[in-house]
């Protein structure tokens, strides 16, 4: 089954949105296979956001993601990568529809509450960057018979 990497950013943690965000993915029918509250190091932040290294806001991005704890997660489900991106909404909360996480909780692009992998290749890269294999749990849920 497909897996994606999702992360409640420091603004989401400080604003007590971990539970709300986890609940949305649980209620949707996706399955949590790993999660941890953690402080991101500058080194990890720079690796995670390597694709944005040349962008003018790269420094701000690294400062922000290391400014407080994040809640890192791996979720599993059919088409979970694309569907989670839909549930997150557009990168800029000003353009994100109500009903999406960024549309409901974000105001500015710099503090947009959540990160989610944007492709199967990014998902694999980011899961490996943030989690060790033994931190991910393989298990089956009876719920899945009622989702699929
Ligand atoms: P992520 O899931 O966080 O990767 O967001 P995304 O895939 O929707 O957007 P993208 O990867 O293009 O950008 C990564 C992050 O950089 C965004 O989530 C924003 O928080 C931040 N970002 C993007 N554009 C700007 C900008 O113009 N200014 C600032 N300060 N941050 C930006
Ligand atoms: Mg991105």
């Amino acid at each position: 089954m497909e897996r994606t990497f999702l992360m409640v950013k420091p603004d989401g943690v400080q604003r007590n949105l971990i539970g709300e965000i986890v609940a949305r993915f649980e209620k949707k029918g996706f399955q949590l296979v790993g999660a941890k509250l953690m402080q991101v190091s500058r080194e990890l932040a720079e690796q995670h956001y390597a694709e944005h290294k040349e962008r003018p806001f790269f420094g701000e991005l690294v400062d922000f993601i290391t400014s407080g704890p994040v809640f890192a997660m791996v979720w599993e489900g059919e088409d979970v990568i694309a569907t989670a991106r839909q549930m997150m909404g557009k990168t800029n909360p000003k353009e994100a529809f109500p009903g999406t996480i960024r549309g409901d909780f974000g105001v500015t692009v710099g503090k947009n509450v959540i990160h989610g992998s944007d492709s199967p290749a990014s998902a694999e890269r980011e899961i490996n960057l943030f989690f060790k294999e033994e931190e991910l749990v393989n298990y089956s849920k009876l719920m899945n018979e009622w989702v699929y």
Side-chain angles (χ1 to χ4, degrees):
M1 192 66 93
E2 189 172 272
R3 287 180 172 183
T4 195
F5 173 70
L6 302 179
M7 172 168 66
V8 181
K9 293 182 179 181
D11 54 333
V13 173
Q14 293 294 332
R15 292 176 55 198
N16 294 329
L17 293 173
I18 294 174
E20 164 78 33
I21 289 170
V22 168
R24 287 188 180 209
F25 293 101
E26 278 189 320
K27 288 176 188 168
K28 174 72 175 169
F30 292 137
Q31 184 171 322
L32 187 62
V33 297
K36 57 185 171 184
L37 185 73
M38 63 181 283
Q39 174 65 46
V40 175
S41 67
R42 287 197 81 80
E43 188 191 0
L44 177 59
E46 285 170 10
Q47 281 179 288
H48 174 66
Y49 281 129
E51 63 172 319
H52 300 304
K53 209 160 50 196
E54 306 306 326
R55 308 280 276 280
F57 56 85
F58 181 70
E60 266 174 53
L61 202 53
V62 171
D63 286 347
F64 172 59
I65 211 72
T66 57
S67 65
V70 301
F71 192 67
M73 302 169 277
V74 177
W75 286 87
E76 193 171 84
E78 191 170 304
D79 288 324
V80 67
I81 299 170
T83 307
R85 296 276 297 185
Q86 296 257 356
M87 292 169 67
M88 288 160 52
K90 292 239 174 91
T91 306
N92 189 339
K94 291 181 176 67
E95 295 164 7
F97 292 120
T100 65
I101 293 166
R102 288 163 170 170
D104 286 349
F105 304 120
V107 178
T108 65
V109 72
K111 294 192 172 76
N112 61 2
V113 184
I114 185 168
H115 163 83
S117 306
D118 60 11
S119 67
S122 321
E124 197 187 333
R125 190 181 80 86
E126 293 167 1
I127 290 168
N128 290 327
L129 212 47
F130 281 82
F131 287 91
K132 299 189 187 98
E133 185 57 43
E134 63 265 28
E135 292 177 307
L136 303 179
V137 186
N138 285 303
Y139 65 113
S140 57
K141 281 178 119 172
L142 288 176
M143 169 197 84
N144 289 335
E145 289 177 26
W146 301 98
V147 173
Y148 298 102

